[in-house]
Amino acid sequence: MIAAYLPGPGNIAAVAITWGVGAIVLLGGAALSRRPNPPEIGFGAGWGALCLALTVWGVFLPLSLRVPAIAFAVIAVAGLAAPRLRLPRGEWRSVKRVIVLSLPLWLVMAPIRPSQPDTFLNLLPNAMYLVDYGRFPTSHLPPSFSYLPAAPYNTQFLSFLGALADPGFPPSGMSLVNVMLFLFAGLAIARELAGAAAKPGEALPWGVIALGLLLAVLLNPGFVPRIDFAAYGEPALMVTALLAAILFVRAQSALAAGGAAEGLAALALILAAMLNAKQSGIGLVAALVGAAAIAGWGERGVPRRAWLRFVALAPLPALILYAVWRYYVARAGVAELTVLPAAAWNWAVLPQTLASIAGEVAEKPVYFGAVAIAIVLLPVWLRRHGWTATTRLLALHAAAFMLYNLFLMAAYVAQFSAEMSAQAHSYFRYNTHLSLMLTLALALVARDAGIGALLTRSRRPAAAAALALALLAPLGFTRRLRFDLVMPQPLVWNLASRLKPHLRADSRLALLLPGDNDSVATMLAGVLRDVPPRRPR
């Protein structure tokens, strides 16, 4: 059993590929920018550009997606030849410090295997379809084994980029990519906490980076390993929401100070990455854009016409991407989650939905208690400090929480089945899409209250404690982080390894599973079909 926790050469190679994916996307974002962005913003912008390029190509051209993916990688690397587009050395040092501080986490997560039924139902099959055919599935192409072949592919694009180096990368790579996303989030949080002390082009202090990583993962009240380190799309929405919120706040601050709002191009690309990460991405984009409009309108010092122009322009690439994807879905002839006919909307179970939401809030007091604290703190901090980066983020979070919950209520009424609507299916999980915003807002409040001063220099005891905790926490939480080793998953993997030598590609397998809820059959089929050595049919 101990061997399952130890990485082998193949696992280490997968981590290296993950770092390569991050570097290419980051360099791609830099190559497409007029001016250098911090690494986390550059990564988000590069990801959005990759999503736009691959989606438009895949929808309108009957050619392999490897062509634009390779072209993107070439452009990204070629950008190193232009001094204006290179990241300053200090920023690369910050990235290297993130990698060093996260090495214990990579050690623990390197052997991760695909797990959770939804991974095998649609997320991994969609990723492997891109690997196998380089196309989006349609009724005229080879069949997809996904439950939702027309679900958005923005998260799969990152593992597809890694599959250019190793076609077997996506099964574990989708989880490793999500680990990487949280590290970029930690770097973003660290930069905001450093505030004025973070000079452009200079490396962030070790202690501040350690604190940022801790806040992104260990101290994030919405972090759940079996969701956020699986192949799910939650990390994509959480991280892009954080990056978009930071850019909205910076733009609002600049306008309030009498300057010009900057960062529009990067923000627009990040919103594009967000939108097609999951089908619920359109709701999160709408909630964030609406919340930004409300927050900026509420600050008297912000020129309203200029602010509304900025807010209106920000989602345009995302809306273009959405229109292109709707065009694809209308013509592809394959399944996605759809809106119910109006006559079948779940108005009758709305009281049960509300009761289930109340029960979910009661069961998750830490997260929803933190939400309540952030909302209550907004008027208090406004009276005490006026409009600052902290109060702007508190206002943005409060408005986004309200608007996104309205979207979730609409989804429960118009899209979910009556049973799932009555249960308020995944209500907590959807709310965690705002959890990194929430974490940063509360951390900024703590910083403004004087706590952050303890970490301004990496030599101080508090900074040393943060460093030690960042390095040791993954080892202390190994069992929780390796959720893929929770039964019945080891049973599934053992059974699959014994079966594969006896199965050909088109073999048929019957299972007797008394009392099972189809999860074992789903996971076993996925391991046989999509994990090397593969038995595709």
Side-chain angles (χ1 to χ4, degrees), residues 450-484:
I451 299 174
L454 296 173
L455 292 166
T456 55
R457 295 182 182 177
S458 59
R459 299 175 186 174
R460 296 190 175 185
L467 286 165
L469 188 57
L471 290 168
L472 296 176
L475 303 177
F477 288 93
T478 296
R479 292 188 60 133
R480 189 162 178 235
L481 291 171
R482 289 299 307 279
F483 50 86
D484 60 310

Side-chain angles (χ1 to χ4, degrees), residues 169-260:
F169 174 72
S172 62
M174 293 182 73
S175 287
L176 296 176
V177 163
N178 281 346
V179 173
M180 178 181 67
L181 291 180
F182 275 98
L183 299 183
F184 275 113
L187 183 58
I189 291 172
R191 193 177 307 280
E192 295 306 301
L193 288 176
K199 298 179 181 179
E202 293 188 5
L204 293 173
W206 284 93
V208 176
I209 292 177
L211 179 61
L213 298 180
L214 289 170
L215 287 167
V217 182
L218 183 66
L219 302 178
N220 175 358
F223 177 74
V224 180
R226 66 179 178 81
I227 294 172
D228 297 320
F229 279 176
Y232 286 19
E234 268 60 37
L237 294 180
M238 293 165 69
V239 173
T240 51
L242 171 70
L243 298 179
I246 289 171
L247 290 176
F248 272 127
V249 168
R250 288 181 187 172
Q252 185 177 335
S253 300
L255 285 173

Side-chain angles (χ1 to χ4, degrees), residues 2 29 49 52-54 93 140 172 203 211 256 261 271 367 413 415 468 478:
I2 294 178
L52 283 166
L54 267 62
R93 284 201 297 271
H140 304 296
S172 62
L211 179 61
L271 291 175
Y367 182 77
V413 170
Q415 190 169 48
T478 296

Side-chain angles (χ1 to χ4, degrees), residues 202-510:
E202 293 188 5
L204 293 173
W206 284 93
V208 176
I209 292 177
L211 179 61
L213 298 180
L214 289 170
L215 287 167
V217 182
L218 183 66
L219 302 178
N220 175 358
F223 177 74
V224 180
R226 66 179 178 81
I227 294 172
D228 297 320
F229 279 176
Y232 286 19
E234 268 60 37
L237 294 180
M238 293 165 69
V239 173
T240 51
L242 171 70
L243 298 179
I246 289 171
L247 290 176
F248 272 127
V249 168
R250 288 181 187 172
Q252 185 177 335
S253 300
L255 285 173
E262 296 181 350
L264 178 60
L267 174 60
L269 290 171
I270 288 168
L271 291 175
M274 181 192 305
L275 184 133
N276 250 20
K278 291 186 66 170
Q279 280 190 250
S280 59
I282 182 64
L284 187 57
V285 169
L288 280 172
V289 171
I294 292 169
W297 189 272
E299 184 177 356
R300 292 183 180 179
V302 175
R304 289 178 173 174
R305 182 175 297 180
W307 179 243
L308 292 180
R309 186 188 310 118
F310 181 89
V311 170
L313 290 174
L316 286 183
L319 294 177
I320 292 171
L321 182 63
Y322 186 72
V324 169
W325 193 252
R326 298 319 306 164
Y327 174 82
Y328 158 74
V329 171
R331 297 168 62 89
V334 292
E336 65 160 358
L337 294 176
T338 57
V339 175
L340 299 170
W345 285 10
N346 299 309
W347 296 112
V349 300
L350 190 56
Q352 294 170 258
T353 304
L354 294 173
S356 295
I357 288 174
E360 192 84 358
V361 171
E363 289 177 5
K364 305 291 184 181
V366 173
Y367 182 77
F368 290 105
V371 170
I373 290 170
I375 292 173
V376 169
L377 279 173
L378 173 58
V380 175
W381 235 244
L382 269 175
R383 284 195 301 270
R384 187 173 298 177
H385 301 282
W387 285 100
T388 64
T390 302
T391 51
R392 291 181 186 109
L393 185 58
L394 286 169
L396 182 65
H397 170 265
F401 177 80
M402 301 300 178
L403 293 175
Y404 197 43
N405 271 268
L406 289 176
F407 167 77
L408 294 179
M409 291 303 303
Y412 287 135
V413 170
Q415 190 169 48
F416 285 87
S417 68
E419 181 182 3
M420 295 173 75
S421 178
Q423 296 171 350
H425 178 71
S426 296
Y427 177 75
F428 166 72
R429 178 153 62 99
Y430 286 122
N431 269 274
T432 62
H433 298 163
L434 300 174
S435 68
L436 285 171
M437 282 178 60
L438 169 65
T439 302
L440 176 57
L442 293 176
L444 290 177
V445 168
R447 182 199 66 182
D448 295 350
I451 299 174
L454 296 173
L455 292 166
T456 55
R457 295 182 182 177
S458 59
R459 299 175 186 174
R460 296 190 175 185
L467 286 165
L469 188 57
L471 290 168
L472 296 176
L475 303 177
F477 288 93
T478 296
R479 292 188 60 133
R480 189 162 178 235
L481 291 171
R482 289 299 307 279
F483 50 86
D484 60 310
L485 297 178
V486 176
M487 287 295 287
Q489 292 169 123
L491 174 66
V492 169
W493 284 88
N494 183 53
L495 185 57
S497 66
R498 291 169 179 265
L499 283 169
K500 284 187 179 185
H502 305 287
L503 297 174
R504 295 187 304 274
D506 293 300
S507 295
R508 295 292 179 264
L509 179 67

Side-chain angles (χ1 to χ4, degrees), residues 15 24 28 60 75 85 97 135 223 265 269 354 445-446 466 513 528:
V15 171
I24 288 172
F60 294 113
I75 292 170
L85 301 178
R97 290 175 181 183
R135 301 279 302 277
F223 177 74
L269 290 171
L354 294 173
V445 168
L513 296 165
L528 292 174

